[in-house]
């Protein structure tokens, strides 16, 4: 069976999590089929493959589904070895996973609240985001250098795509959520990501992302009680 028939990514091009998986797959040079999901009308296949979270990204390899971005990224790195996305050293590897998990389980859920809610709820989420970014940036600047200096790794990809999304979300919400000053590590990760050829294939044009996110928001607000 051709490789592309064996590998399917269920995603949404505007999602920073899906961008991370796509960049990882492209860096590894593997072919895959991309199935665009509609958040207001998720496909039967997506719900079947990810019944616990019902979210994208979902990667299906030889008929076997994987959900959760960090788990998918680790699977990709273990399955296609070159170039490595995670450091070899167990502690460095754990630290990369720690920060990627922080982004995906703590930071981005707050961005979802900013994106979908209004009024006091949104204001509180904006404050929470500012505090999380402040703490994260302090912690990252105090740490021993993280292994993001050797080639494009998972940490750069996850930090860079998250920054990319938070900058667009800031435009939508009319507030600066991230900047080079507020989130220097994330910012330098985006610069590194954007200087790589693969980024041009995956990162959308900024204005298109904002426009698309606004139309998705209307559909999501109509389809979920938030
Ligand atoms: N913890 C999950 C989060 C996945 C997630 O939140 N995906 C969003 C797109 S960025 C989604 O599918 N949203 C649709 C929805 O909330 O219904 C991961 O790391 O993959």
């Amino acid at each position: 069976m051709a490789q592309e028939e064996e590998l399917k990514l269920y995603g949404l091009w505007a999602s920073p999590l899906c961008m991370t998986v796509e960049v990882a797959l492209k860096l590894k040079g593997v072919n895959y089929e991309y199935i665009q999901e509609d958040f207001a009308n998720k496909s039967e296949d997506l719900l079947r493959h990810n019944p616990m979270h019902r979210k994208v990204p979902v990667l299906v390899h030889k008929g076997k589904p994987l959900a959760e971005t960090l788990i998918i990224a680790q699977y990709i790195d273990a399955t296609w070895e070159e170039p490595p996305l995670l450091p070899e050293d167990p502690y460095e590897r754990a630290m990369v996973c720690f920060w990627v998990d922080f982004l995906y389980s703590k930071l981005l859920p707050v961005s979802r609240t900013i994106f979908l809610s209004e009024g006091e709820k949104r204001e509180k989420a904006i404050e929470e985001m500012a505090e999380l970014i402040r703490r994260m940036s302090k912690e990252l600047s105090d740490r021993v250098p993280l292994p993001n200096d050797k080639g494009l790794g998972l940490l750069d990809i996850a930090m860079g795509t998250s920054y990319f999304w938070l900058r667009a979300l800031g435009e939508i919400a009319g507030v600066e959520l991230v900047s080079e000053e507020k989130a220097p590590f994330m910012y330098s990760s985006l610069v590194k990501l954007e200087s790589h050829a693969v980024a041009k294939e995956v990162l959308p044009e900024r204005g298109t992302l904002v426009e698309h996110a606004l139309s998705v928001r209307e559909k999501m607000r109509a389809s979920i009680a938030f």
Side-chain angles (χ1 to χ4, degrees):
M1 194 187 279
Q3 198 170 35
E4 49 267 52
E5 289 172 47
E6 298 177 0
L7 196 60
K8 288 184 181 176
L9 174 61
Y10 292 80
L12 182 79
W13 61 267
S15 149
L17 303 163
C18 301
M19 288 176 206
T20 291
V21 175
E22 271 215 281
V23 170
L25 288 170
K26 285 186 188 293
L27 284 174
K28 298 287 186 180
V30 287
N31 293 323
Y32 57 93
E33 182 190 347
Y34 197 104
I35 297 134
Q36 286 292 346
E37 285 291 332
D38 173 358
F39 284 176
N41 185 22
K42 293 174 186 162
S43 73
E44 285 297 316
D45 278 352
L46 173 69
L47 301 180
R48 180 166 54 85
H49 289 313
N50 189 5
M52 301 315 294
H53 298 290
R54 308 179 132 223
K55 291 190 174 192
V56 295
V58 167
L59 188 72
V60 183
H61 187 207
K62 297 179 183 165
K64 291 190 276 184
L66 294 125
E68 295 291 295
T69 310
L70 178 55
I71 292 169
I72 296 172
Q74 287 174 300
Y75 178 83
I76 291 172
D77 204 37
T79 306
W80 296 280
E81 284 172 14
E82 292 299 326
L85 300 177
L86 283 158
E88 234 178 88
D89 177 82
Y91 186 75
E92 287 190 352
R93 177 185 283 256
M95 283 301 99
V96 168
C97 291
F98 171 86
W99 284 110
V100 175
D101 178 64
F102 171 81
L103 291 176
Y104 294 162
S105 63
K106 193 104 177 144
L107 203 73
L108 291 189
V110 179
S111 85
R112 186 179 193 269
T113 309
I114 297 173
F115 182 53
L116 290 174
S117 64
E118 282 176 313
E120 207 182 317
K121 193 169 179 180
R122 190 168 84 156
E123 290 311 309
K124 275 201 170 137
I126 290 173
E127 277 172 31
E128 191 184 349
M129 174 66 75
E131 175 59 14
L132 287 174
I133 288 183
R134 197 191 57 73
R135 273 176 20 212
M136 175 179 74
S137 296
K138 176 166 187 327
E139 184 65 15
L140 284 168
S141 72
D142 288 352
R143 292 195 80 86
V144 287
L146 276 157
N148 76 335
D149 56 342
K150 289 175 205 134
L152 197 59
L154 179 61
L155 191 63
D156 304 305
I157 304 168
M159 287 274 177
T161 50
S162 296
Y163 186 100
F164 189 77
W165 161 241
L166 292 176
R167 188 176 59 188
L169 176 61
E171 272 178 46
I172 293 168
V175 56
E176 187 187 67
L177 299 171
V178 284
S179 64
E180 182 175 0
E181 206 180 35
K182 286 180 184 153
F185 191 92
M186 289 181 103
Y187 177 79
S188 63
S189 298
L190 178 64
V191 170
K192 191 168 171 189
L193 176 61
E194 281 181 329
S195 69
H196 199 288
V198 84
K200 290 173 190 62
E201 293 176 47
V202 177
L203 298 186
E205 202 267 317
R206 214 160 133 183
T208 316
L209 177 61
V210 171
E211 209 177 291
H212 178 80
L214 284 168
S215 78
V216 166
R217 179 167 73 175
E218 290 323 304
K219 284 198 217 162
M220 285 180 82
R221 278 180 171 166
S223 70
I224 55 172
F226 190 78

